[in-house]
Amino acid sequence: MSEDLYHKTLIDLAAVPEERLAEADLSITVDNPLCGDRVTIDVQMENGKVAAIGREVRACLICQASAAVLSRTAIGQDADQIAEAAQKVRAMLKSDGRPPDSDWAEMANFQPVADYRSRHGCVLLPFDALKKALAP
C-alpha cells in the first residue's frame, strides 16, 4: 500500500482513544466479512439527534480513523443527516472524489482510499454501523 494511504493524519485519527457508553440507547456491532473488521457503536439520543457516541473498533487503521471522525462529527445530527454524509463519503470514494463539506469536511483525509477499492468498506463500516443503529 502507498504511503499516501497511511498518512500521518489517518494514523493520528486511529490513535484517538475509544470508549464504550455505559448507558446507550442503541448499540450495534457490524462486521466486514471480507477483511474481518468489526465495529461496535453505542449511541445516546436526545430529541431525535445523536447526543453521544461510544465505540469499540477491532479493525484496520483506516476503519479506526473513520470511526474516530464519525464519533465526534455525528454528535448533534439526526439519522437523515448521517445517511446523507455516508452517501457523500461513498460518492467521494467511488465516483467523483470530492469530499463532503461542512461538518464532514474532515473526511477529505480519506480521499487517497479512493484508489484502493478493497479499502472502501473500511472507511464506510462505521457509517454503516451508525446508520443501522439509527434505523427505525
Side-chain angles (χ1 to χ4, degrees):
M1 295 273 159
S2 167
E3 287 182 21
D4 292 340
L5 184 60
Y6 295 106
H7 56 82
K8 180 169 177 15
T9 301
L10 290 189
I11 293 168
D12 291 346
L13 285 168
V16 172
E18 300 176 1
E19 189 173 326
R20 300 280 310 266
L21 296 180
E23 295 185 29
D25 297 320
L26 312 161
S27 188
I28 192 164
T29 299
V30 295
D31 297 296
N32 181 339
L34 298 176
C35 66
D37 286 354
R38 172 174 278 180
V39 175
T40 300
I41 298 283
D42 302 320
V43 183
Q44 289 178 343
M45 300 294 292
E46 188 174 298
N47 299 321
K49 295 186 178 193
V50 174
I53 294 181
R55 72 185 191 286
E56 181 177 79
V57 183
R58 299 297 170 251
C60 69
L61 181 141
I62 293 168
C63 191
Q64 290 174 18
S66 179
V69 172
L70 175 88
S71 68
R72 66 175 171 234
T73 308
I75 304 298
Q77 298 197 10
D78 63 27
D80 290 340
Q81 291 170 301
I82 292 163
E84 181 181 339
Q87 182 180 8
K88 288 179 179 179
V89 171
R90 188 175 308 277
M92 175 187 76
L93 295 172
K94 297 187 181 291
S95 58
D96 64 13
R98 291 182 311 198
D101 54 7
S102 67
D103 295 340
W104 295 95
E106 192 172 14
M107 292 305 294
N109 291 303
F110 294 88
Q111 278 187 295
V113 179
D115 293 335
Y116 301 92
R117 289 180 55 97
S118 65
R119 298 308 215 156
H120 292 185
C122 303
V123 176
L124 296 169
L125 191 64
F127 284 91
D128 293 343
L130 184 56
K131 286 186 343 185
K132 286 181 183 177
L134 298 177

